[in-house]
């Protein structure tokens, strides 16, 4: 399933759920009893009433891809500079700027990651986002990490990993590696990561008003399975965190078993200090419900504008810090292959901003990657399943150099590399459906098509027609929803 079909399915499900909600939600009695024990009867009643209301809709803008968005009625997410609440949910599937990576549709509570990153990450780091799909926190981290950092975004589930790679490609950042591995694959990489984000699989209580399946699948037994699995995941990745490094732990659930109790377990059993984050009282964020003076941050729908979410930040013990050095995987033996023409490398390098990156070859593929981390990437190839590294620039086919779709969505792309043609809204939707376009006024050859002056992708113009090079797996397949109205969230740029 692609990001587009995944988003479309969610939008269809969202509207059907809203139509039949009618303020009715059959919550399990065991869940209510568990919550009353944690919150008390009155707050539980308030929470249940909040869960009967419609989910909050929010987006996070991409500052690296400036575009004019008409956010009429939108309000600021207090803990995220680029986060905005929307008054209603538009059909994102039919907005070209969504596909171009100008914004990300993300639950507002999870944007609290920004407060942690700004408080504790001021120097370049090597960061792992362990359970990263579909990519909300990864794309957010890429916008927050100091210059010179590298993010490894990982997802074990194959389909979700493909969505993660697509989302990160559209976001346009270059200093990232997308992998598809079990957490245990990171255990041998001792003392490698400065920061690890673990948004662990959970019982999903914070998804109740978004997804009816989350309600029907909930049980005390599933909660128990979740907190035990979470501890196994944490134990697997703990050796790969440097002494003195940060672990950011989060769930989208309410209960203390998966939240405070796991934080206490990390601190006592693995050896870590729980760190505070300054939070204004006006934000309505709830602290620990089980242990005084434990700085954790819980988002409850009846207290904050968002869904259920929990986050804590911990620092691994720094004892004997200087004695620890990263243990890297063995480098993969170099494959014997015909060397690529130097002209191809030189031409590909001219298409990107390569001031701090180099164009590397992997088979017939050329990609731009941070020069500082090139040797680490070579080592990763020996132990990790890599789906994406940096920015794919081109593919060499004989004497031809075929520009990659990733290239034009990247912030490294040099706009003078190819001619550009601005598409109307109707043409842009046709392009995203991978239909054949006619661009008689455009020059022949590779052309970048844009909408509101933002690159959408490539075509190869033959004169009579333009071959649509939009990735087939990303195309808009359905016409179930009405076409996106540009006045909902985006409008023509004044540029």
């Amino acid at each position: 399933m692609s990001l587009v079909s995944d988003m479309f399915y969610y939008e269809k499900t969202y509207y059907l759920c809203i139509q039949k909600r009618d303020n009715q939600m059959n919550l399990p009695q065991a869940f209510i009893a568990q919550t009353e024990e944690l919150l008390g009867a009155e707050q539980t009643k308030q929470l249940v009433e909040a869960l009967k209301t419609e989910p909050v809709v929010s987006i996070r803008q991409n500052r690296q891809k400036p575009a004019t968005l008409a956010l009429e009625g939108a309000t600021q997410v207090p803990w995220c500079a680029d986060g905005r609440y929307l008054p209603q949910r538009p059909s994102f599937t039919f907005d070209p700027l969504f596909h171009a990576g100008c914004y990300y549709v993300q639950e507002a509570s999870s944007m609290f990651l920004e407060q942690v990153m700004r408080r504790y990450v001021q120097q370049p780091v090597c960061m792992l986002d362990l359970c990263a799909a579909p990519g909300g926190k990864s794309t957010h981290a890429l916008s927050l990490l100091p210059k010179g950092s590298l993010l490894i975004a990982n997802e074990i589930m194959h389909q979700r990993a493909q969505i993660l790679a697509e989302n990160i490609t559209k976001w346009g950042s270059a200093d990232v590696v997308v992998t598809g591995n079990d957490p245990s694959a990171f255990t041998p990489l001792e003392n490698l990561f400065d920061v690890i984000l673990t948004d662990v699989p959970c019982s999903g209580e914070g998804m109740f008003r978004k997804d009816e399946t989350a309600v029907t699948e909930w049980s005390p037994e599933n909660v128990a399975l979740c907190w035990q699995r979470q501890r196994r995941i944490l134990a697997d990745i703990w050796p790969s965190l440097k002494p003195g490094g940060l672990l950011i732990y989060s769930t989208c659930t309410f209960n203390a078993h998966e939240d405070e109790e796991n934080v206490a377990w990390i601190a006592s059993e693995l050896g870590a200090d729980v760190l505070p984050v300054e939070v204004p009282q006006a934000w309505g964020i709830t602290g620990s419900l089980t242990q005084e003076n434990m700085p954790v941050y819980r988002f409850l729908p009846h207290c904050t504008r968002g869904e259920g979410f929990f986050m804590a930040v911990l620092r691994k013990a720094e004892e004997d810090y200087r004695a620890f050095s990263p243990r890297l995987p063995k480098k993969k033996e170099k494959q014997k292959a015909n060397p690529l023409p130097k002209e191809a490398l030189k031409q590909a390098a001219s298409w990107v901003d390569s001031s701090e990156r180099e164009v590397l070859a992997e088979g017939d593929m050329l990609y731009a990657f941070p020069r500082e981390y090139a040797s680490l990437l070579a080592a990763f190839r020996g132990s990790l399943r890599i789906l994406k590294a940096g920015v794919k620039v081109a593919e060499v086919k004989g004497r031809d150099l075929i520009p990659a779709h990733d290239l034009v969505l990247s912030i490294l792309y040099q706009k003078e590399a190819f001619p550009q043609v601005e598409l109307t809204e109707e043409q842009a939707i046709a392009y995203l459906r991978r239909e054949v376009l006619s661009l008689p006024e455009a020059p022949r050859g590779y052309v970048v098509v844009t909408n509101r002056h933002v690159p959408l992708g490539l075509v190869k113009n033959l004169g009579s027609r333009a071959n649509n090079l939009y990735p087939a797996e990303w195309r808009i397949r359905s016409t179930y929803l009405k076409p996106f109205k540009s006045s909902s969230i985006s409008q023509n740029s004044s540029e």
Side-chain angles (χ1 to χ4, degrees):
M1 181 180 288
S2 73
L3 172 63
V4 176
S5 55
D6 186 57
M7 176 62 73
F8 172 77
Y9 172 81
Y10 176 76
E11 288 178 349
K12 180 178 178 180
T13 304
Y14 173 89
Y15 288 117
L16 290 175
C17 287
I18 293 302
Q19 289 173 8
K20 62 183 181 180
R21 181 186 300 275
D22 194 26
N23 287 336
Q24 299 297 315
M25 179 177 287
N26 296 317
L27 294 173
Q29 287 301 311
F31 167 76
I32 294 176
Q34 169 191 275
T35 308
E36 285 184 341
E37 185 176 344
L38 188 67
L39 296 177
E42 182 57 34
Q43 279 212 60
T44 298
K45 180 180 178 182
Q46 294 175 22
L47 173 62
V48 170
E49 290 302 312
L51 292 176
K52 294 178 182 179
T53 62
E54 294 184 13
V56 174
V57 182
S58 51
I59 65 168
R60 180 172 42 77
Q61 295 174 261
N62 187 348
R63 289 193 179 187
Q64 297 180 107
K65 292 188 175 183
T68 304
L69 302 181
L71 300 174
E72 184 177 354
T75 55
Q76 175 79 45
V77 175
W79 42 86
C80 179
D82 298 322
R84 298 292 184 274
Y85 294 109
L86 302 185
Q88 58 187 4
R89 186 181 184 90
S91 176
F92 296 111
T93 300
F94 293 95
D95 180 20
L97 293 191
F98 166 72
H99 297 272
C102 292
Y103 62 91
Y104 189 96
V105 184
Q106 183 179 0
E107 202 280 300
S109 301
S110 65
M111 298 180 197
F112 186 71
L113 174 66
E114 180 165 318
Q115 298 301 312
V116 175
M117 297 287 287
R118 293 197 185 282
R119 173 68 178 83
Y120 290 107
V121 185
Q122 283 96 32
Q123 302 297 324
V125 295
C126 185
M127 177 176 177
L128 170 65
D129 185 356
L130 184 69
C131 311
K137 296 180 187 67
S138 286
T139 55
H140 198 184
L142 286 167
S143 297
L144 297 168
L145 283 169
K147 185 178 180 181
S149 298
L150 180 71
L151 175 71
I152 290 79
N154 179 73
E155 173 58 48
I156 186 175
M157 304 298 292
H158 177 71
Q159 284 191 334
R160 287 173 58 80
Q162 296 297 326
I163 294 174
L164 171 65
E166 178 184 343
N167 243 336
I168 286 179
T169 296
K170 290 178 176 179
W171 198 250
S173 299
D175 305 334
V176 59
V177 179
V178 180
T179 60
N181 293 272
D182 185 86
S184 61
F186 295 94
T187 307
L189 307 182
E190 292 182 9
N191 310 315
L192 178 60
F193 298 108
D194 303 283
V195 181
I196 298 180
L197 169 61
T198 55
D199 187 39
V200 290
C202 67
S203 59
E205 295 163 358
M207 298 294 292
F208 279 3
R209 65 177 176 182
K210 277 187 175 183
D211 185 358
E212 290 184 344
T213 304
V215 179
T216 58
E217 291 182 348
W218 187 93
S219 69
E221 293 76 18
N222 189 38
V223 170
L225 286 173
C226 285
W227 70 255
Q228 293 173 55
R229 177 175 56 194
Q230 290 154 3
R231 294 188 185 185
R232 287 195 297 269
I233 290 172
L234 292 163
D236 281 342
I237 56 90
W238 192 251
S240 66
L241 181 63
K242 288 181 180 179
L246 296 177
L247 176 78
I248 304 171
Y249 177 82
S250 65
T251 73
C252 59
T253 203
F254 304 128
N255 70 79
H257 303 301
E258 300 174 71
D259 293 345
E260 283 96 340
E261 290 179 16
N262 270 353
V263 172
W265 179 84
I266 296 168
S268 63
E269 298 298 320
L270 300 182
D273 295 321
V274 189
L275 303 180
V277 180
E278 186 175 346
V279 174
Q281 188 174 358
W283 291 358
I285 299 173
T286 303
S288 175
L289 296 172
T290 64
Q291 183 175 331
E292 290 187 21
N293 302 320
M294 176 187 282
V296 298
Y297 306 92
R298 182 186 268 99
F299 292 72
L300 298 168
H302 67 289
C303 297
T304 53
R305 192 177 176 192
E307 309 305 312
F309 186 69
F310 174 92
M311 182 171 281
V313 55
L314 302 98
R315 189 185 300 281
K316 189 174 185 179
E318 298 187 41
E319 54 196 3
D320 298 327
Y321 177 77
R322 295 183 181 180
F324 292 91
S325 59
R327 179 178 294 178
L328 301 179
K330 293 182 179 180
K331 293 185 178 181
K332 186 178 180 181
E333 293 184 4
K334 292 183 178 180
Q335 297 179 349
K336 294 182 179 180
N338 294 326
L340 296 173
K342 291 183 179 179
E343 294 77 9
L345 288 169
K346 185 176 180 181
Q347 184 179 4
S350 72
W351 294 347
V352 298
D353 175 6
S354 56
S355 57
E356 297 177 356
R357 287 108 181 154
E358 59 182 310
V359 176
L360 305 173
E362 180 73 14
D364 292 332
M365 300 294 179
L366 301 178
Y367 56 96
F369 194 76
R371 188 172 292 109
E372 179 182 354
Y373 293 101
S375 60
L376 179 60
L377 175 63
F380 279 158
R381 294 193 185 281
S383 63
L384 300 178
R385 177 172 173 263
I386 296 177
L387 283 71
K388 172 183 171 63
V391 173
K392 183 180 176 183
V393 178
E395 180 180 1
V396 179
K397 288 189 175 181
R399 295 185 177 182
D400 295 328
L401 191 62
I402 314 299
H405 183 77
D406 292 32
L407 168 67
V408 300
L409 293 183
S410 169
I411 60 172
L412 300 184
Y413 169 58
Q414 300 293 307
K415 292 187 177 181
E416 64 274 11
F418 299 98
Q420 295 191 170
V421 172
E422 176 74 5
L423 301 182
T424 65
E425 201 84 7
E426 184 178 357
Q427 287 176 316
I429 295 298
Y431 174 74
L432 295 169
R433 287 190 173 123
R434 214 169 185 269
E435 297 173 3
V436 176
L437 301 180
S438 178
L439 304 172
E441 303 300 322
R444 296 195 178 195
Y446 292 107
V447 175
V448 173
V449 292
T450 65
N451 181 251
R452 283 155 270 177
H453 308 289
V454 178
L456 295 178
L458 287 157
V459 299
K460 189 171 185 180
N461 192 29
L462 305 177
S464 59
R465 73 178 192 280
N467 287 347
N468 193 329
L469 302 181
Y470 193 73
E473 64 275 18
W474 291 7
R475 70 187 186 277
I476 298 175
R477 291 179 172 83
S478 180
T479 58
Y480 178 83
L481 297 174
K482 293 181 179 179
F484 187 93
K485 299 300 182 182
S486 62
S487 60
S488 299
I489 195 171
S490 52
Q491 63 184 13
N492 290 334
S493 172
S494 58
E495 297 179 358

